[in-house]
């Protein structure tokens, strides 16, 4: 028997494989395809203080080995989440972690306070890295004094596991990781999407209505791996690795680079059963390598030269 | 409605014309009921340029032989790869997705399609006929060489044709077809699928004639199952999602 369980702060995950925010709805969308109870956790869609309609169409375009999206945090707001969605999903046999976003520090705090009271939500992920909203979002994630302020403010009102999701759209992501660690984050997750754009040469127009959008999928994996490795080497809190994970090997690479757990995003659109395949693949890898505990992979990268 | 992910074997790849082909796909499992208007998400090969699944309407279903038919137009890399598939090869589908059309109050219904937009109208025409309705098809194509399976549509109802160059049927766009100026008194419903400009013109015609109209829309999609919120369409009720709230919408609800 191999041990697949990991800890993120005080949070116990039965295995390190989770679904990324914005790519897995509220989990219900996938229950025809997989047993949600098999997952380490589900990070649900970004939730804000009040309802957001999101951005105009087109919001998505495929690019080489990836996609650009500009959904723009469309959601019905935290009160709707609590009254209508939470009762439905609280029975899942996996952790539900809410991704929290806002335009102002007050909005982040308000959402976090409300979620703090929900018994079956053991953690939140502060999204200070959404590239698709005009105000807030990434502003907090690309200006370290703001990142510190929002993390400190939320930490004051939130008692459970606080994960801060970092933006890759910065020069030094380690600086941000250290900043939010100092401000009380229990873990960091990275990376959110990379700011990008696509152009229709025929029409001489941008493809996305918002001109720019967030790049995800295998195209961003090398960047994400490098950032996870850098952050792992600069903070003590656990790191959750995200970016282009398509299979178990990708997930293992993130763990070797220093991730204690991983999130699978875009890959769910191609194979709705991918998360479970990643879990099984990690287990097979451990058995083949004669390793008994998945935690021994974390940061085990051997740098020879 | 439960959704599935299954491998299908290609039993035929029939070239319909220069641009269109029909894939016949046989499943190991008994096919679930598939409603007109519903679509499948086809996994091409997940290569660098055909990374995401491609949404394709269900053209027809043969429940006895357990075969699903897709009518596809080659427009880019993904559809080109699909057009080259051979019998025996495997294709992975997530299905059945999306909503369906509603039944008309009266007997006669007009199904207006443009180009590959005729695809969902096959299953729709067949269903209407099974419900003892009288479907009439009005199709627009660029030229006679692109006309699709008229004999098959003819089993369910009369087919009228318009072509841009007049090489078959009447010359001009569907909304200028003489049929719309004559025999329309007893039409109780209009269904449309095709290029957006055509559907808008059809919807306008229907509204002017006080006939309800349903349009089957296309948007870029990633997941096809309501998880990513990429397939946004503005409606009078706010943002809707084409993959779950659609692809079929009442034209009066659309802000387009
Ligand atoms: C619900 C739904 C049902 C559909 N049913 C059918 C069908 O029955 N038969 C069929 O042939 N096609 C159908 N389509 C369109 C089909 O999905 C696209 O043509 C296909 O994804 C293009 O893939 P590609 O790799 O060949 O082209 P790409 O390389 O992705 O694109 C080539 C060109 O096609 C355009 N294109 C890409 N996706 C779409 C799209 N969704 N709609 C319109 N243009 C697009 C691009 O803008 C580009 O100009 C449907 C689309 C939707 C959303
Ligand atoms: C359609 C879409 C919507 C997303 N929405 C959110 C969101 O609401 N909040 C968030 O923190 N990240 C969001 N993300 C980012 C993902 O959670 C993830 O960080 C990113 O896609 C990289 O991982 P991947 O390559 O596995 O998809 C979204 C990504 C996509 C593709
Ligand atoms: S395509 Fe993902 S929600 Fe419609």
């Amino acid at each position: 028997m191999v041990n697949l369980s990991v800890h993120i702060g005080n949070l116990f995950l039965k295995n390190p494989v989770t679904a990324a925010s914005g790519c897995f709805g509220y989990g219900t969308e996938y229950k025809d395809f997989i047993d949600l109870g098999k997952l380490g956790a589900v990070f649900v869609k970004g939730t804000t203080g009040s309802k957001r309609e999101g951005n105009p169409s087109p919001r998505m375009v495929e690019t080489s080995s990836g996609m650009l999206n500009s959904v723009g945090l469309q959601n019905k707001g935290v009160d709707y989440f609590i009254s209508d969605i939470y009762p439905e999903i609280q029975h899942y046999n996996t952790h539900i972690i809410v991704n929290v976003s806002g335009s102002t520090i007050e909005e982040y705090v308000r959402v976090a306070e409300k979620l703090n009271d929900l018994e079956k939500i053991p953690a939140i992920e502060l999204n200070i890295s959404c590239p698709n909203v005009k105000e807030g979002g990434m502003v907090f994630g690309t200006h370290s004094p703001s990142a510190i302020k929002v993390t400190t403010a939320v930490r004051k009102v939130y008692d459970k596991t606080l994960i801060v999701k970092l933006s890759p759209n910065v020069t030094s992501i380690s600086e941000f990781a250290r900043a939010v660690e100092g401000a009380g984050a229990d873990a960091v997750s990275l990376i959110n999407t990379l700011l990008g754009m696509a152009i229709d040469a025929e029409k001489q127009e941008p493809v996305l209505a918002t001109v720019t959008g967030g790049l995800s999928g295998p195209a961003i994996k090398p960047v994400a791996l490098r950032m996870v490795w850098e952050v792992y080497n600069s903070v003590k809190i656990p790191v959750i690795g995200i970016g282009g994970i398509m299979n178990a090997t990708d997930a293992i690479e993130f763990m070797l680079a220093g991730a204690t757990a991983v999130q699978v995003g875009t890959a769910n659109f191609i194979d709705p059963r991918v998360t479970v395949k990643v879990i099984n693949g990690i287990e097979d890898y451990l058995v083949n390598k004669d390793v008994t505990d998945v935690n021994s992979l974390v940061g085990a990268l051997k740098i020879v030269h | 409605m439960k959704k599935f992910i299954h491998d299908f074997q290609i039993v035929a790849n029939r070239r319909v014309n220069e641009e269109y082909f029909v894939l016949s796909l046989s499943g190991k499992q008994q096919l679930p009921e598939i409603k007109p208007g519903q679509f499948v998400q086809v996994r091409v090969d997940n290569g660098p340029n055909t990374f995401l699944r491609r949404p394709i309407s269900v053209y027809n279903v043969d429940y006895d032989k357990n075969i699903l038919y897709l009518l596809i137009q080659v427009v880019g890399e993904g559809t080109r790869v699909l057009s080259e598939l051979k019998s025996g090869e495997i294709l992975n589908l997530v299905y059945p997705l999306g909503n369906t059309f509603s039944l008309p109050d009266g007997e006669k219904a007009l199904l207006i399609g443009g180009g590959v937009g005729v695809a969902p109208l096959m299953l729709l025409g067949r269903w209407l006929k099974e419900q003892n309705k009288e479907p009439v098809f009005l199709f627009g194509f660029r030229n006679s060489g692109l006309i699709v399976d008229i004999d098959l549509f003819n089993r369910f109802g009369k087919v009228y044709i318009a072509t841009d160059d007049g090489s078959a049927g009447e010359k001009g766009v569907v909304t200028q077809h003489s049929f719309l100026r004559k025999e329309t008194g007893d039409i109780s419903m209009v269904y449309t699928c095709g290029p957006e400009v055509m559907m808008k013109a059809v919807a306008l015609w229907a509204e002017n004639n006080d006939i309800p109209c349903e349009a089957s829309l296309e948007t870029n999609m990633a997941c096809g199952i309501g998880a990513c919120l990429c397939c946004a369409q503005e409606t009078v009720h706010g943002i809707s999602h084409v993959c779950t709230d659609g692809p079929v919408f009442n034209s009066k609800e659309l802000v387009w």
Side-chain angles (χ1 to χ4, degrees), chain B residues 168-180:
Chain B
E170 287 185 19
K171 183 173 158 80
V173 296
V174 277
T175 42
Q176 290 167 345
H177 197 283
S178 62
F179 178 82
L180 295 185

Side-chain angles (χ1 to χ4, degrees), chain B residues 90-108:
Chain B
I90 300 295
L91 207 55
N92 183 268
L93 306 187
V94 173
Y95 73 108
L97 307 175
N99 67 351
T100 184
F101 297 95
S102 42
L103 208 59
D105 289 335
E107 208 163 279
K108 202 161 168 181

Side-chain angles (χ1 to χ4, degrees), chain A residues 62 200 203 207, chain B residues 20-21 37-41 44 49-50 52-59 70-82 116-120 193 216-221 242-243 246-247:
Chain A
E62 184 176 318
D200 183 331
K203 294 187 190 154
V207 180
Chain B
Y20 302 174
F21 59 99
Q38 289 196 303
F39 65 99
V40 300
Q41 277 272 64
V44 183
N49 300 315
T50 47
L52 296 171
R53 288 175 182 266
R54 298 297 192 257
I56 303 289
S57 304
V58 175
Y59 185 41
L70 307 177
L71 171 70
I72 305 174
Q73 178 182 20
V74 178
V75 297
E77 178 76 7
T79 46
R80 188 187 57 71
V81 171
L82 294 176
V116 80
V118 302
C193 184
S216 180
L217 303 193
E218 281 187 10
T219 51
N220 289 356
M221 289 187 180
V242 175
C243 74

